[in-house]
Amino acid sequence: MGKIIALANQKGGVGKTTTTINLAASLAALEKKVLIVDADPQANASSGFGIDVKTLKHSIYHSLINGLDPAEAIIRTEMDNLDIFPSHIDLVGAEIEMLNLNKREHVLRNLLLPLKEQYDYILIDCSPSLGLITVNSLTAADSTIIPFQCEYFALEGISKLLNTIKIIKSKLNPKLEIEGFLVTMYDARLRVANQYYEEIKRLFQDLVFDTVIQRNIKLVEAAGSGKPAILYEVESKGAVNHMQLAKELIEKDTKKD
């Protein structure tokens, strides 16, 4: 039985999609069967694998709104073991269209549950908001990874997200856990970054991943080329950091089992 992990943070620009793409690719390289669910209307996780989202015939939108079987929308990537359930700009209007649906918060969960038998990990790239699609993602998930930068406003945003998780856990998904807080775009040369990193570790202790994603231009270049860093430049800091993260995640899950 696979595990569904939502990568969530309503604050944009924290490296959430970059983490989703590169963590998924690293898990696949470690011979785990992985599905990326692109639940962001910006569709950056989809284009990050070279998919032309403008020409897509089917996407997550059609499954959420029209009940399309996800198997008809899921695309194989160039990596073995890695598939993607792509997004489309149409997803922007999905939240309004879903308002009248029965059990609207559980639509994505009902789509993904049958897929847990086929994948070891299902990673949901959430949109930078706390709207209905993100609520669906957290309701569908077994756990959530929270990427953040070491800065003041990141800490402020986390408190809002934690409150949302608390509400979802109490009303919609009692099994939802925090997989971990992940420091991204980290620059050890900056005193403020080190200060906030220490503060985060003090506040959340064992919930903070040991792995830190360092600021690395190769991650940006890889995204622009439509490839994960592991295929773009395997020895880059970005590729190495995400491989460390994948190994840490697998190790955590092994200990739980």
Side-chain angles (χ1 to χ4, degrees):
M1 180 69 77
K3 184 175 191 178
I4 302 176
I5 303 176
L7 287 93
N9 192 328
Q10 80 278 9
K11 187 177 186 299
V14 297
K16 177 178 50 58
T17 299
T18 299
T19 300
T20 304
I21 290 170
N22 289 285
L23 173 58
S26 297
L27 288 168
L30 293 169
E31 299 186 341
K32 298 297 182 181
K33 184 73 175 167
V34 185
L35 174 68
I36 293 176
V37 178
D38 192 349
D40 186 346
Q42 296 176 81
N44 289 333
S46 302
S47 59
F49 278 95
I51 295 170
D52 184 357
V53 296
K54 295 177 182 176
T55 61
L56 279 178
K57 187 176 180 182
H58 299 306
S59 70
I60 189 174
Y61 168 83
H62 299 96
S63 295
L64 288 171
I65 302 305
N66 301 326
L68 179 77
D69 185 339
E72 295 190 42
I74 289 172
I75 298 172
R76 289 185 177 181
T77 71
E78 63 181 298
M79 289 192 73
D80 291 339
N81 301 318
L82 180 54
D83 299 338
I84 186 162
F85 193 1
S87 186
H88 190 274
I89 189 63
D90 287 348
L91 197 60
V92 168
E95 295 196 354
I96 296 172
E97 294 179 71
M98 290 171 69
L99 288 176
N100 295 323
L101 295 179
N102 186 36
K103 293 190 175 180
R104 62 194 179 200
E105 296 89 356
H106 295 268
V107 179
L108 185 57
R109 179 178 183 271
N110 294 335
L111 290 173
L112 298 184
L113 275 180
L115 298 176
K116 290 181 77 172
E117 299 289 343
Q118 302 173 37
Y119 296 95
D120 296 305
Y121 289 96
I122 297 175
L123 304 184
I124 308 175
D125 184 32
C126 299
S127 64
S129 73
L130 293 177
L132 185 55
I133 300 294
T134 298
V135 169
N136 259 263
S137 300
L138 292 170
T139 301
D142 298 303
S143 64
T144 179
I145 291 175
I146 302 172
F148 69 95
Q149 285 181 265
C150 289
E151 58 179 38
Y152 173 75
F153 291 113
L155 288 173
E156 191 177 62
I158 283 175
S159 64
K160 294 177 183 176
L161 178 58
L162 290 178
N163 188 52
T164 300
I165 290 171
K166 183 179 178 182
I167 293 169
I168 288 172
K169 190 165 175 144
S170 66
K171 297 183 182 298
L172 297 169
N173 182 8
K175 295 182 179 179
L176 180 64
E177 296 181 354
I178 294 175
E179 191 72 45
F181 295 88
L182 176 68
V183 175
T184 61
M185 304 180 187
Y186 183 66
D187 188 341
R189 298 170 300 179
L190 300 177
R191 183 191 300 174
V192 67
N194 291 310
Q195 288 174 339
Y196 280 118
Y197 181 42
E198 292 303 319
E199 178 68 5
I200 283 290
K201 287 200 294 185
R202 184 186 68 79
L203 288 171
F204 301 112
Q205 302 176 19
D206 292 343
L207 284 176
V208 181
F209 281 102
D210 292 332
T211 302
V212 171
I213 308 300
Q214 296 166 281
R215 191 176 291 277
N216 181 228
I217 190 62
K218 296 300 179 185
L219 287 171
V220 179
E221 292 176 2
S225 72
K227 294 178 182 289
I230 198 171
L231 295 184
Y232 182 77
E233 191 165 319
V234 69
E235 294 183 357
S236 65
K237 279 184 183 178
V240 171
N241 289 163
H242 284 95
M243 182 58 73
Q244 291 171 335
L245 176 63
K247 290 177 179 176
E248 185 176 352
L249 179 61
I250 292 170
E251 186 179 342
K252 283 179 69 175
D253 288 339
T254 303
K255 286 180 180 178
K256 287 178 184 177
D257 293 341

